[in-house]
Amino acid sequence: MTELVAKLQWSTDPQALLLWLKRWGPFVGLGLVALLAGWVNLRGYLLPEFNTLLALIGLPFVLYVRDRERRPGRFAGLALLMLVLFPVLQIKFAFHLAWCFVLLFFVESVRGKLNSMPVALVFVLSPLPHYLASVLGFPLRLWLSSAAGAVFRLLGMEVEVRGNLFLRDGEEFAVDPACTGIHLFVTGLVLFVILLSYQEKRSGKGLPGWGQGGTLVVAVGLVLLANLMRIVGLVLLRSAPETFSHDAVGLASLLFYFVLPIYFLLGWATRKWGRNRSVAPTRRLHLPGTRRTILGAVLVAGLFAVGPWGQKPVSTEQIARLNAMATPGYTSCLTDAGILALEAEGALVYLKPPVPFYGADHYPEICWRASGFRVRAPQVQVVAGTEMMVARLENEEQRMVTAWWYDNGAASTTSTFDWRWRQLCGEAGFFLVNVTVADQDELTCVIREWQGARVIARSVRF
């Protein structure tokens, strides 16, 4: 009680307050300005969703001090590296990493050396896992559909599997990447990082790198198992989306097939193979020196200096080349994002210019969802001799068919890995073709028109 009274008296002492502001004000002010830099430059990039909230709630379990006396500058070095790479690569992910590393530098400067798990959380909190879950999740969803069909056959049930759709007694169920509105894959990563850090903090032992990698592989397998059992449960219970039973099945699958097994696995692995790691008390704060304050100011200035760079603008040359792709009978319009939109009666075609092999492509499945459509039954089909992804688009008023593939005039592919590898090996850049029509028959006619457009594309090297 005496200490509390003393602190209260200190806080009301003007001289003590002025002394505190003199000693801590510059560094605290820089930290607040760094937060402002992230808010200004990452609006619309960071996703305000369940997984972000889950990660922030779990932050006290993830973040702890390993060595109170050491204050390394590793995060400052990583932040400077990302600030240099961002204007070169011009992908938002680099700026996101720079901003997070700057904040971790500020935290380590006043608390001491942190554990390594916050770095993992930095990656999980970015949109990168969401993008990977959406793009790479398609083949996994098809595999899960096939596996669920095998489970139903073992149970003696007559369930027809069409791509990622299940038909049972005339009712249709789709394998959706979301469970109660969240991506199970990303949720699993967040929970894995939180549980791993919790076990490390509780036991004072940390798994070596191979142990963390091994348990992560098991965690991914358990996420797939949880998703498989969710699908089976939804079809068995005939649970429609946006119902209580639909959400309950998803949460129960996540709890029983992922959270509990991985919790006990991490506890057992930590006890068996964990190495002693000290957890230092964190009550005492270090006063940052002049050099750290100056370095912090340089990093914050760097955030504001490179922040406006953003994505690479579409060049005049690219615009001319895109316009050369126009097809007779279509009206063309170049969007603000540099995408060529071609429209004819009953047909809409988008051409998105190539990006570097390391860049994020304009994946239609993500774009159409953002436009308010449900993407149903995506599957690989060969239409007019071209292999492409074909899916149904549905909303409250419309039902259409959409198809997309990557094309550079000389070759076409549906694989994001394939076009990246080809561009890395020196082939011409692949643009994304997305064709949307009223029905499947119309799709065949439009695709045949675009066989001629490929002849034009061969002379248009990106």
Side-chain angles (χ1 to χ4, degrees):
M1 179 62 71
T2 306
E3 286 186 25
L4 179 60
V5 172
K7 288 181 179 179
L8 290 174
Q9 290 177 344
W10 178 88
S11 64
T12 57
D13 185 353
Q15 291 185 347
L17 182 59
L18 289 175
L19 178 62
W20 186 92
L21 289 174
K22 182 179 179 180
R23 298 173 65 188
W24 287 92
F27 204 76
V28 172
L30 286 172
L32 295 176
V33 175
L35 290 173
L36 177 63
W39 181 80
V40 169
N41 294 293
L42 292 175
R43 284 179 299 174
Y45 179 77
L46 297 179
L47 303 176
E49 52 144 34
F50 175 84
N51 286 313
T52 305
L53 178 62
L54 178 63
L56 293 175
I57 293 174
L59 193 60
F61 298 99
V62 174
L63 189 71
Y64 67 86
V65 178
R66 290 186 56 188
D67 190 339
R68 189 180 62 190
E69 301 304 322
R70 289 187 59 196
R71 292 180 289 169
R74 52 184 179 167
F75 289 122
L78 291 172
L80 286 172
L81 176 62
M82 290 298 107
L83 288 174
V84 171
L85 288 178
F86 178 59
V88 178
L89 302 178
Q90 291 188 327
I91 52 177
K92 275 290 188 184
F93 182 59
F95 185 87
H96 167 80
L97 291 180
W99 179 62
C100 291
F101 289 145
V102 169
L103 295 181
L104 289 173
F105 165 75
F106 278 96
V107 174
E108 277 200 338
S109 295
V110 298
R111 297 188 64 183
K113 183 180 179 181
L114 301 172
N115 59 321
S116 59
M117 283 298 106
V119 178
L121 203 61
V122 164
F123 283 87
V124 172
L125 279 173
S126 74
L128 180 63
H130 301 264
Y131 178 81
L132 294 176
S134 297
V135 175
L136 307 183
F138 173 72
L140 286 178
R141 296 202 299 277
L142 291 184
W143 178 84
L144 286 170
S145 300
S146 177
V151 172
F152 293 131
R153 286 192 293 271
L154 288 175
L155 296 175
M157 298 174 55
E158 294 186 4
V159 178
E160 184 181 355
V161 181
R162 297 179 183 174
N164 75 327
L165 287 178
F166 297 89
L167 277 76
R168 182 189 178 193
D169 300 331
E171 286 190 81
E172 188 179 89
F173 299 90
V175 180
D176 202 354
C179 174
T180 65
I182 58 177
H183 287 168
L184 265 180
F185 173 72
V186 182
T187 307
L189 288 178
V190 174
L191 291 174
F192 175 80
V193 172
I194 291 174
L195 292 174
L196 180 60
S197 297
Y198 170 74
Q199 292 288 0
E200 181 178 295
K201 187 175 182 180
R202 187 186 66 144
S203 64
K205 294 181 178 181
L207 285 174
W210 63 266
Q212 294 181 12
T215 51
L216 178 60
V217 171
V218 175
V220 171
L222 290 174
V223 169
L224 293 177
L225 176 62
N227 215 342
L228 174 61
M229 300 312 296
R230 176 181 70 92
I231 296 166
V232 173
L234 291 176
V235 177
L236 287 176
L237 297 176
R238 302 174 184 266
S239 297
E242 299 182 2
T243 62
F244 174 77
S245 62
H246 190 94
D247 294 348
V249 169
L251 289 175
S253 300
L254 184 64
L255 176 63
F256 290 108
Y257 295 101
F258 177 77
V259 175
L260 292 178
I262 202 65
Y263 173 81
F264 290 112
L265 172 65
L266 288 174
W268 173 79
T270 302
R271 290 191 300 271
K272 186 173 180 62
W273 293 301
R275 300 170 183 172
N276 290 330
R277 291 182 180 175
S278 60
V279 179
T282 58
R283 292 181 180 177
R284 177 186 168 190
L285 298 179
H286 294 277
L287 179 66
T290 303
R291 288 200 304 179
R292 282 186 174 269
T293 303
I294 294 174
L295 181 56
V298 171
L299 293 175
V300 172
L303 290 175
F304 280 102
V306 305
W309 284 83
Q311 298 286 349
K312 290 182 179 179
V314 181
S315 66
T316 305
E317 183 181 8
Q318 279 187 325
I319 293 174
R321 289 174 176 178
L322 278 173
N323 287 328
M325 295 290 296
T327 302
Y330 287 80
T331 59
S332 63
C333 172
L334 193 66
T335 69
D336 292 338
I339 299 171
L340 182 65
L342 302 171
E343 188 173 3
E345 185 177 355
L348 179 63
V349 180
Y350 288 112
L351 283 173
K352 202 271 185 182
V355 296
F357 71 90
Y358 54 80
D361 55 356
H362 190 81
Y363 202 66
E365 195 174 2
I366 300 173
C367 177
W368 282 118
R369 284 200 183 98
S371 299
F373 286 88
R374 295 185 298 274
V375 181
R376 308 299 297 273
Q379 53 187 308
V380 178
Q381 292 184 10
V382 177
V383 180
T386 301
E387 185 179 86
M388 59 190 66
M389 300 294 303
V390 180
R392 297 200 322 252
L393 294 178
E394 299 177 0
N395 63 12
E396 299 300 328
E397 302 175 352
Q398 293 177 289
R399 183 169 179 171
M400 302 179 293
V401 175
T402 189
W404 65 90
W405 69 97
Y406 302 97
D407 203 315
N408 70 349
S412 63
T413 181
T414 59
S415 170
T416 184
F417 296 108
D418 187 25
W419 73 259
R420 292 175 192 276
W421 175 253
R422 287 172 179 267
Q423 284 190 197
L424 182 61
C425 293
E427 291 193 24
F430 281 75
F431 52 89
L432 176 68
V433 184
N434 182 202
V435 179
T436 303
V437 293
D439 53 45
Q440 188 75 31
D441 294 335
E442 184 69 19
L443 177 65
T444 303
C445 295
V446 174
I447 296 302
R448 283 175 179 164
E449 291 179 0
W450 279 91
Q451 303 303 316
R454 288 188 63 192
V455 176
I456 301 174
R458 290 190 180 99
S459 64
V460 184
R461 183 181 177 89
F462 282 82

